[in-house]
């Protein structure tokens, strides 16, 4: 398996533009997580899905952020409009969640977003 | 959910054991302890997890105190490639935060020759 795939790997955009980050989880995994990492705030969970359904979106910073998972093999994180403070590395992770006690998450390589 | 405290940084000589502590004094009975590490510019990588018994796998050992208020991750023979940020996180298998890991600031482990 290729692991979790994220695209693009790097994104540079101007303030006010819409940004869409994409994630393909590992085949067979039924949980998907979106994280944001900055120097100031560390690694923060934004939202996660179980069987394509959003379970907890309490980490989504504001209405400018939205995430979807239309099927088991694809998810998007959209920022509209983007702001300079959104600059960060965004990670996607997936997990087989085989039973409540097991939560090994497999992380993708991340998307480095720069908003000018 | 339990809060965790880790030292901000540690050093270790190559070939020696690295012992990374984590304090989780408010952990509840059904919360596991998960350890991940993040090598520079990469996504975090799962290492090991445990509930109350000591655990060992091909990467590391996890020692959890009897009162479960703290744990220690042991890398038995550290190599330069083990230089990374190490995170411990509580995981509540049955609570409202099901599925949710919490990554604090972690410990920066530097392995030197």
């Amino acid at each position: 398996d290729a692991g979790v795939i994220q695209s693009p790997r790097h994104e540079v955009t101007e303030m006010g533009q819409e940004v869409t980050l994409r994630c393909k989880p590992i085949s067979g995994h039924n949980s998907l997580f979106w994280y944001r990492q900055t120097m100031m705030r560390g690694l923060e969970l934004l939202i996660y899905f179980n069987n394509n359904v959003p379970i907890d979106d309490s980490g989504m910073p504001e209405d400018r952020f939205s995430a979807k998972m239309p099927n088991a093999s694809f998810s998007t994180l959209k920022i509209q409009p983007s702001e300079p403070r959104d600059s960060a590395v965004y990670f996607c992770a997936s997990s087989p969640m085989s039973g409540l006690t097991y939560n090994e998450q497999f992380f993708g390589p991340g998307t480095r977003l720069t908003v000018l | 959910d339990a809060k965790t405290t880790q030292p901000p940084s540690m050093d270790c000589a190559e070939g020696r054991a690295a012992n990374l502590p984590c304090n989780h004094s408010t952990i509840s009975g059904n919360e596991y302890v998960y350890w991940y590490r993040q090598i520079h510019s990469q996504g975090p990588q799962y290492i090991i997890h445990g509930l109350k018994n000591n655990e060992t796998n091909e990467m590391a050992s996890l020692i959890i105190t009897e009162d479960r208020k703290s744990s220690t991750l042991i890398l038995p023979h550290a190599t330069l490639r083990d230089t990374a940020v190490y995170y411990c996180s509580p995981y509540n298998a049955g609570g409202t935060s099901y599925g949710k890991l919490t990554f604090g600031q972690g410990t920066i482990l530097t392995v030197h020759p």
Side-chain angles (χ1 to χ4, degrees), chain B:
Chain B
D1 293 341
K3 303 301 181 200
T4 60
T5 304
Q6 298 178 255
S9 64
M10 295 183 67
D11 287 337
C12 178
E14 189 177 19
R16 304 298 293 269
N19 297 290
L20 297 145
C22 178
N23 180 288
H24 34 79
S25 58
T26 60
I27 199 168
S28 63
N30 61 351
E31 284 188 298
Y32 288 73
V33 179
Y34 271 71
W35 282 82
Y36 281 73
R37 73 179 182 183
Q38 186 174 23
I39 297 171
H40 181 63
S41 298
Q42 299 181 20
Q45 175 192 24
Y46 166 82
I47 302 173
I48 199 169
H49 75 278
L51 182 61
K52 56 182 179 181
N53 296 321
N54 297 338
E55 303 287 345
T56 296
N57 63 20
E58 65 277 6
M59 290 182 68
S61 294
L62 176 61
I63 308 297
I64 303 174
T65 58
E66 191 170 346
D67 62 9
R68 302 209 326 117
K69 293 185 176 182
S70 65
S71 60
T72 300
L73 178 75
I74 301 173
L75 307 179
H77 306 287
T79 70
L80 298 179
R81 290 176 295 178
D82 292 323
T83 293
V85 181
Y86 288 77
Y87 301 97
C88 66
S89 170
Y91 172 61
N92 191 329
T96 56
S97 58
Y98 165 62
K100 189 172 182 177
L101 293 170
T102 305
F103 295 93
Q105 294 302 310
T107 297
I108 300 172
L109 175 67
T110 303
V111 181
H112 51 85

Side-chain angles (χ1 to χ4, degrees), chain A:
Chain A
D1 200 317
V4 175
I5 299 173
Q6 291 187 247
S7 64
R9 294 292 307 277
H10 301 273
E11 177 79 31
V12 179
T13 190
E14 293 188 345
M15 182 174 63
Q17 296 297 306
E18 177 180 296
V19 175
T20 299
L21 311 180
R22 297 172 176 80
C23 175
K24 177 179 170 53
I26 294 173
S27 177
H29 285 191
N30 60 354
S31 292
L32 183 140
F33 306 79
W34 282 102
Y35 291 87
R36 177 175 67 176
Q37 186 171 37
T38 61
M39 287 293 292
M40 291 296 294
R41 301 176 67 89
L43 191 62
E44 303 173 282
L45 177 65
L46 299 178
I47 184 171
Y48 73 95
F49 297 83
N50 193 38
N51 293 321
N52 311 338
V53 176
I55 301 300
D56 186 343
D57 65 354
S58 60
M60 295 287 263
E62 49 197 275
D63 293 344
R64 296 185 298 106
F65 286 69
S66 62
K68 294 182 179 180
M69 192 164 186
N71 57 62
S73 59
F74 183 67
S75 177
T76 59
L77 178 67
K78 183 177 295 185
I79 308 173
Q80 166 64 17
S82 58
E83 297 182 3
R85 58 193 170 120
D86 302 330
S87 296
V89 180
Y90 291 81
F91 289 104
C92 175
S94 70
S95 171
M97 293 292 278
S98 55
L100 291 179
T101 64
Y102 183 64
N103 188 18
E104 179 180 349
Q105 297 182 21
F106 295 78
F107 283 75
T111 295
R112 182 173 295 276
L113 173 65
T114 303
V115 183
L116 303 175

